[in-house]
Amino acid sequence: MAMAAVVCYCKPSPSPFLGQFPSQLRNLSSKQSIGNSVHATTINAIFWGSKKVVEPQEMDPSLGDYTLTGSGPEEVTTKKVSLSVVSSISDISSNDWDACALDATGPEKFNPFLTHGFLSSLEESGSAVKKTGWIPRHIVAQDECESILGVVPLYLKSHSYGEYVFDHSWADAYYSYGSRYYPKLQCCVPFTPVTGQRVLVRNSSYKDQVFDILVSALKDLATKSQVSSLHITFPSESEWHKMKEKGFLQRIGMQYHWKNRNYENFDEFLMDMKQSKRKNIRQERKKISTQNLTIKRLRGHEIKLYMINLDMTISIGCIAS
């Protein structure tokens, strides 16, 4: 049954009902300044779920089998597809995942944040794992030959941080109603407020049917897991419209995007701002130069090697002290 929207008062102070915030992130803070060179664009989020909220339990990773039908040259053809949940993206080969992502977006709209490499780095680095409140629950559709036809990046969440869609008032409303909002299912790219495909399906004559059964599997998993709700955030516009037809509630938000107006240098960019803002930015940049900071740009395997060397340096320093 679709969950109705709730209107409630959102406290200005942090709410105690927003889930467990990872302890290692509590001391982090961020500041964002927006100059004149911004561009407003809409972002979308989709919600679906049942009213009942209880603790999720261990369950069979299988989400059922389906039979797809297609038209061949002389007769109707069928294909059996099985859906399942995996607890890590490493359980899926990078070639299979990336093939789904590339077919879903098209080569002209390649999205690096949907790649196996990016998503696996979030898990391997410990950023999107159980300890930080992100439990991978990726959904996979494969045929009888074990060829992967579609995948969905999905996480079981114990808080609302790292999503860039603020549903804190929903959590408060659930508490006021006598229910718990967490855990919830979140279909997204963690820590990345970038619009893109969320249901990644290979190109085939069965593509639309695979999309439909993956969406059904998302809803079935939400019901079986007995979570409060299922959220699909920053989907593509086409998905946003399709999900409405499948019983999801739609939500629209707003982002501010910085645009480079062909600035030749940083000073030219500053000239687009008010004098007070130019002054503040220049003073902040001067402070950085006095702190003896070093910035390094690393790629791929260089990151792992650098982190290993950094860990060894810290360990040796601790022993020496």
Side-chain angles (χ1 to χ4, degrees), residues 161-182:
Y161 299 97
E163 300 168 10
Y164 297 91
V165 173
F166 303 103
D167 58 352
H168 298 161
S169 60
W170 287 64
D172 283 341
Y174 262 74
Y175 174 81
S176 299
Y177 188 61
S179 298
R180 286 189 298 171
Y181 191 59
Y182 305 100

Side-chain angles (χ1 to χ4, degrees), residues 49-50 57 78 100 118 120 189 193 197 212 228 235 262 282 320:
S50 60
Q57 300 178 357
T78 62
C100 292
F118 182 78
S120 63
V189 177
Q197 293 289 128
D212 290 342
S228 70
N262 298 318
R282 284 173 174 150

Side-chain angles (χ1 to χ4, degrees), residues 112-124:
F113 302 113
L114 295 175
T115 63
H116 189 280
F118 182 78
L119 293 171
S120 63
S121 70
L122 296 178
E123 294 184 19
E124 292 174 4

Side-chain angles (χ1 to χ4, degrees), residues 106-231:
E108 69 283 355
K109 294 183 179 180
F110 173 71
N111 188 333
F113 302 113
L114 295 175
T115 63
H116 189 280
F118 182 78
L119 293 171
S120 63
S121 70
L122 296 178
E123 294 184 19
E124 292 174 4
S125 65
S127 301
V129 293
K130 182 177 181 179
K131 186 177 180 181
T132 59
W134 295 79
I135 303 178
R137 288 288 186 268
H138 310 307
I139 296 181
V140 184
Q142 57 184 358
D143 62 18
E144 59 268 32
C145 298
E146 297 188 351
S147 297
I148 292 182
L149 305 179
V151 293
V152 180
L154 184 68
Y155 301 86
L156 186 66
K157 294 290 304 299
S158 60
H159 54 73
S160 290
Y161 299 97
E163 300 168 10
Y164 297 91
V165 173
F166 303 103
D167 58 352
H168 298 161
S169 60
W170 287 64
D172 283 341
Y174 262 74
Y175 174 81
S176 299
Y177 188 61
S179 298
R180 286 189 298 171
Y181 191 59
Y182 305 100
K184 63 176 183 175
L185 283 174
Q186 191 80 28
C187 175
C188 67
V189 177
F191 318 111
T192 310
V194 178
T195 298
Q197 293 289 128
R198 292 296 175 259
V199 181
L200 312 179
V201 182
R202 292 297 308 270
N203 285 330
S204 72
S205 58
Y206 303 98
K207 185 172 184 177
D208 291 340
Q209 295 179 68
V210 174
F211 180 92
D212 290 342
I213 63 174
L214 282 170
V215 174
S216 295
L218 281 167
K219 297 166 71 172
D220 289 344
L221 182 60
T223 300
K224 291 178 181 179
S225 302
Q226 296 183 309
V227 295
S228 70
S229 50
L230 161 66
H231 304 249

Side-chain angles (χ1 to χ4, degrees), residues 46-317:
I46 303 170
F47 305 87
W48 182 91
S50 60
K51 181 178 175 181
K52 186 178 180 181
V53 184
V54 296
E55 285 288 348
Q57 300 178 357
E58 292 295 328
M59 57 180 297
D60 187 342
S62 175
L63 293 177
D65 299 323
Y66 296 80
T67 299
L68 309 183
T69 59
S71 299
E74 299 179 355
E75 59 182 359
V76 175
T77 59
T78 62
K79 180 184 286 288
K80 292 184 179 180
V81 177
S82 61
L83 274 68
S84 59
V85 179
V86 297
S87 58
S88 172
I89 195 172
S90 62
D91 294 335
I92 308 170
S93 75
S94 59
N95 288 338
D96 286 332
W97 183 284
D98 289 344
C100 292
L102 188 61
D103 281 357
T105 61
E108 69 283 355
K109 294 183 179 180
F110 173 71
N111 188 333
F113 302 113
L114 295 175
T115 63
H116 189 280
F118 182 78
L119 293 171
S120 63
S121 70
L122 296 178
E123 294 184 19
E124 292 174 4
S125 65
S127 301
V129 293
K130 182 177 181 179
K131 186 177 180 181
T132 59
W134 295 79
I135 303 178
R137 288 288 186 268
H138 310 307
I139 296 181
V140 184
Q142 57 184 358
D143 62 18
E144 59 268 32
C145 298
E146 297 188 351
S147 297
I148 292 182
L149 305 179
V151 293
V152 180
L154 184 68
Y155 301 86
L156 186 66
K157 294 290 304 299
S158 60
H159 54 73
S160 290
Y161 299 97
E163 300 168 10
Y164 297 91
V165 173
F166 303 103
D167 58 352
H168 298 161
S169 60
W170 287 64
D172 283 341
Y174 262 74
Y175 174 81
S176 299
Y177 188 61
S179 298
R180 286 189 298 171
Y181 191 59
Y182 305 100
K184 63 176 183 175
L185 283 174
Q186 191 80 28
C187 175
C188 67
V189 177
F191 318 111
T192 310
V194 178
T195 298
Q197 293 289 128
R198 292 296 175 259
V199 181
L200 312 179
V201 182
R202 292 297 308 270
N203 285 330
S204 72
S205 58
Y206 303 98
K207 185 172 184 177
D208 291 340
Q209 295 179 68
V210 174
F211 180 92
D212 290 342
I213 63 174
L214 282 170
V215 174
S216 295
L218 281 167
K219 297 166 71 172
D220 289 344
L221 182 60
T223 300
K224 291 178 181 179
S225 302
Q226 296 183 309
V227 295
S228 70
S229 50
L230 161 66
H231 304 249
I232 303 177
T233 46
F234 299 99
S236 65
E237 185 176 356
S238 62
E239 287 177 316
W240 190 70
H241 289 294
K242 288 179 181 178
M243 294 299 179
K244 181 181 180 180
E245 299 173 358
K246 298 183 180 299
F248 284 73
L249 300 179
Q250 293 175 306
R251 171 177 168 177
I252 299 177
M254 180 175 289
Q255 285 181 326
Y256 289 92
H257 289 185
W258 180 82
K259 295 292 184 179
N260 187 343
R261 298 176 178 173
N262 298 318
Y263 301 113
E264 293 186 1
N265 50 54
F266 191 74
D267 285 334
E268 186 173 329
F269 161 65
L270 291 181
M271 292 307 296
D272 260 359
M273 300 182 181
K274 295 180 180 179
Q275 193 276 337
S276 59
K277 291 186 177 181
R278 291 200 301 268
K279 181 179 179 180
N280 288 338
I281 291 177
R282 284 173 174 150
Q283 288 178 342
E284 290 173 355
R285 286 167 66 87
K286 286 181 180 179
K287 292 179 181 179
I288 294 176
S289 62
T290 63
Q291 296 180 25
N292 296 321
L293 298 178
T294 301
I295 298 177
K296 293 184 178 181
R297 185 171 65 179
L298 305 174
R299 292 178 176 272
H301 69 283
E302 296 175 336
I303 298 176
K304 292 184 179 180
L305 292 175
Y306 181 79
M307 293 304 297
I308 291 174
N309 292 333
L310 181 62
D311 288 341
M312 291 179 62
T313 301
I314 294 175
S315 298
I316 293 173

